[in-house]
Amino acid sequence: METIRQKTYSLLRASEKYTKTDMVYLTKGGFSLVLIQVFATLCALGTSIAFANLFPKDAYGTYKYILSIAGIIGTFSLTGLPTAVTQSVSKGFDGSLSEGIRINIKWSFGVVCISAASAVYYFIQGNTTLALSLVAIGATAPILSGYSLYASYLSGKKKFETMGVLSLIRFGLPTLALIGTLFFTKSAFIIVCSYFIAHTLAAYTCYILSVYIFPSNGSIDNTLEQYSKHLSFLGILNVIADQLDKIIVFHFVGAVELAIYSFATALPNQIWGTLKSVTQLAFPKFANTDTKNIQKEIGGKMWRLFFILVPITVAYIILAPYIFGFFFPQYLESVRYSQFFALTLLGFGSSLPSTALQAKKAMKGLYYSNTVMAIVKISMLLLFALYWGVWGVIAARVLYEYIGVGVAWGALYFVSAHERQEVI
């Protein structure tokens, strides 16, 4: 086994001449992250099958709409905190985890107030499902977001194997809770409560285990809160843009159509989640690499990534009818939407320069790229949905990803190179 390990190590090192990438690090960390995403995908698949067979389409559409509202309400907290914690921990500031939880609690006041105000509004309107769901969101979301920072802590320390083990709890517990709840109720409110309570318990358990296995050195990054404020502010439009598609479909087309749209986008989004392991691996490396070296090598990495994504995208488009026919026969109308939406995968390359900007704290580049892309996405979603409905929403999502590649590239090359890397 030692001989095999040494030969594999030598082969990976030799391949770096062609890949221009630390293949040992990529293989070791990437394997763990891929396993995490595979398990997360299996959990999502099991949950989707349960929803497809046990939950009415209109109730499922309402459930997805509530989760979208929760995402938008979350913009009133420090949504950039996870990225800031990862960046700080990668620099050796382990105390950023506990400090991040403290900061998260302090800045979650807006989430609680907005949730309460929205709940009162829907009570007055007579929609008790949405009102009670918003109460549940306000009570659990701040705790969930705080303890979920354990993943940022482990990512910054490059402890991807531990992340893989803890994913059994992080994704397995909510999956079992949701599927179990679906057998006993058709209430969207109870499902929402099950979702948030289970995710909160799972995140807390993973946090306790993380700090027990890897105790903090106590050092704190004094720029953590300020950097997270910058990231959160520039991310407000992006969060709204990310949730706007579901809100548009719910209000202008209907709950059933939102259920169809959600199933159409679910599998490509899971593939996208698996691809995110690339950016998770790249983040700590970018944080400790000179900006000019990143700019020199990132173009080649983006092209190599693109050529890997082409066969993946084509394979999904071909297999989608069979996947839906076997797992989701109740949602066969989602197939054509899903095939078109799969084209978003080809735009994943924009994630690399965006990750580099975050890792180097290149605030001008981040403000430029995030603001431009959020405005573009919101504008296209509203305009395309007005004229073409669900097809318009999907077309806007696809076009947005391709435009994002050019914007992120430009931000990295023409903005970040001329600014200080530290937040002032």
Side-chain angles (χ1 to χ4, degrees):
M1 291 302 297
E2 179 62 21
T3 300
I4 294 174
R5 191 186 73 82
Q6 289 294 337
K7 288 185 176 181
T8 302
Y9 178 87
S10 300
L11 180 63
L12 291 172
R13 286 302 185 202
S15 68
E16 292 174 3
K17 180 172 65 174
Y18 306 100
T19 62
K20 309 298 181 183
T21 301
D22 186 343
M23 293 302 296
V24 174
Y25 172 73
L26 180 63
T27 302
K28 185 179 179 181
F31 181 74
S32 300
L33 290 176
V34 168
L35 285 181
I36 293 173
Q37 290 302 326
V38 168
F39 182 68
T41 299
L42 290 176
C43 289
L45 179 61
T47 304
S48 297
I49 293 173
F51 271 117
N53 290 277
L54 301 173
F55 214 52
K57 287 184 179 180
D58 58 339
Y60 181 69
T62 301
Y63 164 76
K64 296 297 289 187
Y65 174 70
I66 293 170
L67 294 186
S68 296
I69 292 178
I72 292 179
I73 291 176
T75 61
F76 294 93
S77 63
L78 289 186
T79 56
L81 199 52
T83 300
V85 169
T86 298
Q87 203 278 342
S88 293
V89 173
S90 68
K91 291 290 187 178
F93 298 103
D94 288 7
S96 295
L97 174 58
S98 57
E99 180 68 6
I101 293 175
R102 184 192 68 80
I103 293 171
N104 179 79
I105 293 174
K106 182 176 72 173
W107 285 91
S108 293
F109 181 72
V111 173
V112 176
C113 291
I114 297 298
S115 298
S118 301
V120 171
Y121 169 78
Y122 281 112
F123 266 124
I124 295 174
Q125 296 296 316
N127 193 328
T128 55
T129 297
L130 286 177
L132 292 174
S133 297
L134 286 163
V135 172
I137 291 169
T140 58
I143 304 172
L144 171 59
S145 59
Y147 288 118
S148 293
L149 292 175
Y150 86 90
S152 300
Y153 178 70
L154 295 177
S155 181
K157 294 179 74 67
K158 302 179 184 178
K159 302 300 181 181
F160 302 114
E161 297 89 346
T162 304
M163 289 178 63
V165 174
L166 293 182
S167 68
L168 298 175
I169 300 172
R170 185 66 185 88
F171 301 112
L173 179 59
T175 299
L176 292 176
L178 277 174
I179 293 177
T181 306
L182 284 169
F183 277 102
F184 298 102
T185 183
K186 299 296 183 288
S187 168
F189 164 66
I190 296 177
I191 295 298
V192 168
C193 289
S194 175
Y195 175 93
F196 280 99
I197 292 173
H199 274 284
T200 301
L201 291 174
Y204 176 72
T205 303
C206 291
Y207 163 77
I208 294 296
L209 292 173
S210 296
V211 296
Y212 176 77
I213 299 171
F214 302 106
S216 169
N217 59 22
S219 57
I220 296 176
D221 182 0
N222 293 326
T223 67
L224 177 65
E225 184 170 357
Q226 188 175 7
Y227 184 42
S228 62
K229 287 179 184 178
H230 280 288
L231 291 175
S232 301
F233 179 75
L234 65 87
I236 290 175
L237 286 177
N238 279 316
V239 174
I240 294 174
D242 288 342
Q243 303 298 332
L244 188 62
D245 57 341
K246 293 176 279 294
I247 291 176
I248 287 175
V249 173
F250 182 87
H251 278 286
F252 292 101
V253 187
V256 173
E257 286 72 17
L258 176 56
I260 294 170
Y261 172 78
S262 296
F263 270 89
T265 58
L267 291 178
N269 282 336
Q270 286 299 319
I271 297 174
W272 189 281
T274 301
L275 295 172
K276 277 189 175 181
S277 61
V278 175
T279 60
Q280 284 183 278
L281 287 167
F283 193 102
K285 285 285 188 178
F286 284 155
N288 294 284
T289 302
D290 182 78
T291 304
K292 290 185 178 180
N293 289 332
I294 296 175
Q295 294 171 337
K296 181 180 178 181
E297 298 178 359
I298 200 168
K301 295 181 186 295
M302 290 174 66
W303 275 112
R304 286 188 287 274
L305 183 59
F306 174 79
F307 285 116
I308 292 173
L309 291 173
V310 169
I312 294 175
T313 304
V314 172
Y316 178 79
I317 292 174
I318 294 173
L319 294 175
Y322 304 99
I323 295 173
F324 275 85
F326 185 79
F327 290 109
F328 315 116
Q330 300 88 345
Y331 286 88
L332 292 179
E333 57 265 65
S334 298
V335 172
R336 53 180 182 168
Y337 295 134
S338 190
Q339 289 173 311
F340 186 25
F341 186 78
L343 296 175
T344 57
L345 298 173
L346 298 178
F348 181 78
S350 64
S351 298
L352 285 180
S354 296
T355 300
L357 291 171
Q358 293 174 354
K360 303 306 295 182
K361 293 186 175 181
M363 296 312 305
K364 289 183 181 178
L366 287 169
Y367 272 108
Y368 164 74
S369 60
N370 285 30
T371 302
V372 169
M373 288 312 303
I375 293 174
V376 169
K377 187 174 185 178
I378 292 172
S379 300
M380 288 196 305
L381 282 172
L382 292 172
L383 182 62
F384 287 22
L386 179 64
Y387 285 98
W388 300 297
V390 175
W391 277 114
V393 171
I394 294 178
R397 291 285 304 275
V398 172
L399 185 58
Y400 162 83
E401 298 300 339
Y402 299 148
I403 295 175
V405 174
V407 173
W409 181 290
L412 178 64
Y413 274 81
F414 301 111
V415 182
S416 66
H418 304 290
E419 66 175 276
R420 293 181 61 183
Q421 294 177 4
E422 298 299 322
V423 178
I424 305 302

